[in-house]
Amino acid sequence: MRTIAALCAILLGLIAMTDASAQAQPRPAPTSNVQVQPLTPPGAPAKATPRFDPLKATNAYLATVKGKARRNSDAYFEGGYWLLLVDTLYAIGVAALLLWFRISARMRDIAERWTRSRFWQVAFYVIMFVTLTTLLTFPLAVYEGFFREHAYGLSNMSFSQWLGDFLKGFGVELLFGAIVLTLIYAAIRAAGRRWWIWGWLIAMAFLVIGMVVGPVFIAPIFNKYYPLPEGPVKSEILSLARSNGIPVDNVYEFNASKQSKRISANVSGAFGTTRISMTDNLMKRASPREIYAVRGHEMGHYVLSHNAIGVTWFGIVLLIAFGSVNWGYGWLTGMFGGNWDVREIADPAGLPVAMALVTFFFLLATPVTNTITRTLEAQADIFGLNTARQPDGFATVTLKLGEYRKLDPSPLEEFVFYDHPSGRSRIFMAMRWKAQHLNDPDIKAGPVSPQ
Ligand SMILES: [Zn+2]
């Protein structure tokens, strides 16, 4: 069921605010926080020449990723724009198939034969529905999740490893899908015309439950989480955490290298389970300056309560989605319900209609959901710059994102498709910050931005 997967992806976008990736070779930064690097003259932000131009510095950084590397990342990311459309059309196609061939109606009839309880009929229907739609969308999932990732050199997984993760994901989806949808259908039967408000409340409750249990029960299904390994970087990171009111035992590392080469970190959880997790890729492949920069950013999410703010905004969008499904369902089944053998909204055989509507709604809402997360990400960027004070580390780690995120899009492209600020926006943010701090001793000590 692509829709539940899409909803999860959006939710994960909110709660797993990732950053940065592999490759790229710029500016090897000196180790640890002890900045003893002398100022190097060319283009250096020396006191005598306070003519540091943030835009020029941004362009110079962007120019360091060129040729094949740049073309690959642009192609990978732009391909993603089309996949949004392809995924939606494919999901609607699957829904149409289930409806016009009355497969959905037949699954409902089977469920009705198995039990007289309407509650359990829905549960059985949902299990059949999730299994069948997962099978039908499997070719697209293999292409997007396995072959395409390998084609761009982003995956570390063998096919059997990938399939293992896919099946685990399917199990989680089946369990949560069956519980949530069975309860929503119970609400439909109980509440009548106002079902969509109750349905939304149930969905929101599970969204929050999912966030709370996610890092404790779901994430460890896919990866190993452990305390940060001992090393020169660790104490610096923990001190930064303590100074921002983040308990040390909420800072983890996990083996993302099992899946891919991407460098990233995230904040997940809610209430008692909120935590920051760094990938092993980040800890191994980024310089200490870059690690501090990313850490500062993730601490921004934590300190600014972005999980709660993200869920609130997403909740508003989701309420509109439920309202739209309610309206669209009546309209579509009014026209085609006879052909599909699908009855009123309480009939589980109409689930493909609802799912197609949700999928289409979230395609249209892409710029809205992306702008919500992108805005929070920009806030975390600024928090990170003020906290970690590593404008150049932030710039170079942003360049490493260039492997899977186009660095320099048009403003319209960024508005529609970017769930994080683009590389250009982020590096400019860092250079703008640096321009105002040129005379601070730590910034003066370097490193020197390219000009
Ligand atoms: Zn983030």
Side-chain angles (χ1 to χ4, degrees):
M1 157 159 38
R2 300 210 64 76
T3 320
I4 288 189
L7 287 179
C8 292
I10 291 165
L11 175 62
L12 288 175
L14 290 171
I15 62 177
M17 298 156 174
T18 57
D19 304 273
S21 160
Q23 212 226 349
Q25 64 304 30
R27 253 115 287 277
T31 44
S32 121
N33 223 19
V34 197
Q35 285 114 354
V36 283
Q37 263 229 340
L39 280 172
T40 9
K47 224 188 275 172
T49 51
R51 303 192 63 89
F52 176 78
D53 180 349
L55 185 61
K56 265 173 83 180
T58 304
N59 287 333
Y61 263 128
L62 288 171
T64 60
V65 180
K66 47 185 181 261
K68 193 159 176 271
R70 181 68 86 93
R71 281 197 302 277
N72 261 346
S73 96
D74 286 3
Y76 176 76
F77 201 77
E78 287 166 7
Y81 306 164
W82 289 104
L83 288 180
L84 276 178
L85 187 64
V86 170
D87 285 350
T88 306
L89 292 179
Y90 197 103
I92 292 174
V94 166
L97 188 86
L98 297 184
L99 292 167
W100 289 103
F101 286 94
R102 300 198 178 190
I103 298 167
S104 183
R106 222 169 298 156
M107 291 195 296
R108 173 207 51 213
D109 295 345
I110 293 170
E112 283 177 354
R113 245 173 281 142
W114 281 348
T115 171
R116 295 177 66 87
S117 150
R118 296 201 72 188
F119 183 86
W120 289 109
Q121 282 168 10
V122 174
F124 288 140
Y125 173 91
V126 171
I127 289 167
M128 286 187 272
F129 175 83
V130 174
T131 309
L132 186 59
T133 50
T134 302
L135 278 172
L136 289 171
T137 53
F138 186 73
L140 197 56
V142 178
Y143 165 70
E144 286 179 25
F146 184 75
F147 290 109
R148 185 167 185 267
E149 293 297 300
H150 272 284
Y152 285 96
L154 292 171
S155 179
N156 279 347
M157 299 183 105
S158 69
F159 186 75
S160 61
Q161 284 173 322
W162 179 84
L163 191 64
D165 271 10
F166 179 84
L167 290 175
K168 289 177 193 171
F170 168 68
V172 171
E173 203 174 288
L174 196 63
L175 182 70
F176 274 86
I179 295 172
V180 175
L181 288 169
T182 303
L183 290 178
I184 289 179
Y185 272 95
I188 293 175
R189 290 193 302 275
R193 291 182 57 183
R194 298 221 184 277
W195 74 268
W196 58 279
I197 296 174
W198 289 99
W200 171 74
L201 282 172
I202 292 169
M204 287 304 290
F206 274 90
L207 203 65
V208 174
I209 292 170
M211 279 178 70
V212 176
V213 303
V216 184
F217 295 111
I218 312 287
I221 298 176
F222 299 93
N223 289 92
K224 271 199 200 72
Y225 287 74
Y226 41 88
L228 284 174
E230 297 300 329
V233 175
K234 180 176 179 173
S235 63
E236 190 68 39
I237 284 174
L238 294 185
S239 153
L240 194 61
R242 276 189 291 262
S243 70
N244 284 285
I246 301 168
V248 163
D249 55 358
N250 292 11
V251 178
Y252 290 83
E253 184 182 315
F254 67 103
N255 64 337
S257 59
K258 183 189 146 197
Q259 283 98 357
S260 81
K261 303 177 178 72
R262 298 174 189 216
I263 291 176
S264 70
N266 66 63
V267 177
S268 61
F271 302 110
T273 67
T274 311
R275 64 192 60 186
I276 297 174
S277 308
M278 320 286 275
T279 59
D280 54 351
N281 289 331
L282 174 74
M283 302 305 284
K284 276 182 215 140
R285 304 181 62 183
S287 72
R289 279 183 195 284
E290 293 170 341
I291 296 172
Y292 299 144
V294 172
R295 178 60 83 186
H297 169 98
E298 300 304 335
M299 285 176 185
H301 285 313
Y302 192 112
V303 172
L304 301 171
S305 301
H306 279 173
N307 286 353
I309 295 170
V311 164
T312 305
W313 279 108
F314 183 69
I316 294 169
V317 176
L318 197 61
L319 181 63
I320 301 170
F322 268 89
S324 309
V325 168
N326 183 42
W327 173 80
Y329 188 93
W331 182 64
L332 283 173
T333 50
M335 280 195 292
F336 303 112
N339 306 44
W340 299 335
D341 188 15
V342 164
R343 305 185 288 257
E344 80 293 9
I345 187 85
D347 178 7
L351 186 58
V353 185
M355 285 302 178
L357 286 165
V358 171
T359 309
F360 184 62
F361 175 87
F362 276 102
L363 177 72
L364 296 186
T366 303
V368 177
T369 51
N370 278 343
T371 298
I372 292 169
T373 58
R374 199 177 57 246
T375 307
L376 297 179
E377 293 299 332
Q379 290 175 358
D381 284 349
I382 297 201
F383 182 97
L385 284 167
N386 284 325
T387 308
R389 301 179 61 89
Q390 300 292 346
D392 291 283
F394 188 74
T396 52
V397 84
T398 298
L399 288 179
K400 292 183 177 183
L401 268 171
E403 196 180 66
Y404 61 89
R405 216 179 265 155
K406 184 178 175 180
L407 281 170
D408 197 3
S410 73
L412 179 66
E413 221 177 333
E414 184 163 350
F415 173 75
V416 175
F417 294 112
Y418 278 62
D419 59 359
H420 283 65
S422 68
R424 169 174 289 282
S425 300
R426 296 184 122 169
I427 295 173
F428 182 72
M429 221 183 276
M431 294 301 105
R432 187 180 60 193
W433 186 95
K434 184 175 179 176
Q436 298 304 316
H437 294 81
L438 287 176
N439 289 325
D440 299 359
D442 56 338
I443 303 301
K444 214 192 270 185
V448 179
S449 317
Q451 279 276 35

